[in-house]
Each structure stands twice: as C-alpha cells, then as structure tokens.
Amino acid sequence: ELKVEQNPLFLSMQEGKNYTIYCNYSTTSDRLYWYRQDPGKSLESLFVLLSNGAVKQEGRLMASLDTKARLSTLHITAAVHDLSATYFCAVGDPGTASKLTFGTGTRLQVTL
Amino acid sequence: EAGVTQFPSHSVIEKGQTVTLRCDPISGHDNLYWYRRVMGKEIKFLLHFVKESKQDESGMPNNRFLAERTGGTYSTLKVQPAELEDSGVYFCASSQGRGLGTEAFFGQGTRLTVV
C-alpha cells in the first residue's frame, strides 16, 4: 500500500525567509502533484512532476522530484503573506491510472 | 469555464440521519472522483467514476456509503445512516483524461458534521 509522508505538518515563518516542505512516498510512482488549499476553498493544482530530476518553478515556489529517493520538495523563497495556505503533495498510485494518495498537508503561516 | 461545484458547502446532521452530497464536474470531464478528509488526517480516495461506471471503489469505507453518477454527469454520495466518524470534508474532483500529467480539478468540498 502506498504511503505518503509530508513534513512539517505546520510551519510558521517570517516574510522574507526561505523554507522547504518535504514529501516522501513508499513505492515507485510515475507522477507527483503539489496542491494548495486556502480555507474553505478548493485544492488548486500547483505542479505536476513526472520524471526523475524534474524541477518546476512558479513565482516563489519551486518543486522538485527525486524518484530514486522517493522524495519531492516544495521550496519557498522569500516568503510573503499571500503564500499562507495548506499545501498538499499527492502521489499517483502505481497500477492505477488516476487514484491519488495524499500527504497529511502542511499548514503554512507567513507572518510579518 | 465553471469549475467543479459541490453542494451543500456545509451540512450538520444527527447520527442516524441520511445526507446526500452532490458534485457537478467540469463539463466534458469523464472522470469523477470522491475523496474525503477526516479531521487531522490525510485526504483519502473513496471512488472513481468513468462516465457513469464505477472504475474503482476500493476506498469506500462501508456499505453505508452509496455513490451514483446518473447519465455520466453529476454525481451524488449518500451516507445512510450517518455515524459520528463520517464527519469530515468530502471533496469531488474531475479530469478529462487519465494519462500521465493529467490534472484533477477539485471542488471546494462539503464539510459534513455528524452530531
């Protein structure tokens, strides 16, 4: 059974600082997603990572994937208050075309 | 283009009652998924429809849960009778394809509280 571990669960950081959220998964997968959720809103797709060494960047967020280590990271550069949200990684279950297994989520709070 | 729509956004019911959640996927999306997040835990897969057919219902917790997708359009998830442990946020998602890189678009969720 695929397991996805995400840490930290909660992250409070000051504006301007850098930090990394980690996502480890237990079995080989061919796709990994990062989502953002604001309170009461839907999950917004941030990144889709498909291959070893994949790196994608959007604004102050950068995601990477190491399939050999079964690890993805979401790096936040020079955080701003607008980045406060809950971030989820989700891994495609091997052998299925579409089912996702989610991490527990990281609640990010960026303070002034 | 309208996104995935779920309603109600909140529902509070008593233990033993019945609740029906509805999901309207993005128009033209054949794939529809239900997930739920129980308080403090991870988001867990419940089931997957391709058009009106159940492709994978391995995540459905028990037979108190019944999902339907009539005509391959909107879907309903009925919980009957509801138990306290059913409380959580129920998410619906839809996608057009199932190949690598296919993105699933999520609704805002229905927060169910069973008291």
Side-chain angles (χ1 to χ4, degrees), chain A residues 16-110:
Chain A
K17 299 291 186 183
N18 305 331
Y19 210 83
T20 301
I21 299 170
Y22 297 89
C23 177
N24 288 89
Y25 53 100
S26 60
T27 60
T28 302
S29 175
D30 54 14
R31 58 202 190 283
L32 187 141
Y33 303 81
W34 284 96
Y35 286 91
R36 166 183 172 148
Q37 188 191 22
D38 292 290
K41 301 289 180 67
S42 60
L43 277 75
E44 174 193 351
S45 177
L46 294 173
F47 302 107
V48 181
L49 302 169
L50 302 176
S51 59
N52 188 43
V55 177
K56 291 194 175 180
Q57 183 162 5
E58 181 74 34
R60 301 174 187 273
L61 301 177
M62 183 173 71
S64 65
L65 179 62
D66 180 342
T67 58
K68 293 178 182 177
R70 297 175 188 158
L71 170 68
S72 179
T73 61
L74 180 66
H75 187 72
I76 303 154
T77 302
V80 293
H81 182 70
D82 285 352
L83 289 179
S84 298
T86 299
Y87 293 84
F88 294 93
C89 66
V91 180
D93 257 25
T96 73
S98 47
K99 176 181 170 184
L100 297 179
T101 297
F102 281 81
T104 48
T106 296
R107 188 174 160 207
L108 172 65
Q109 185 175 51
V110 181

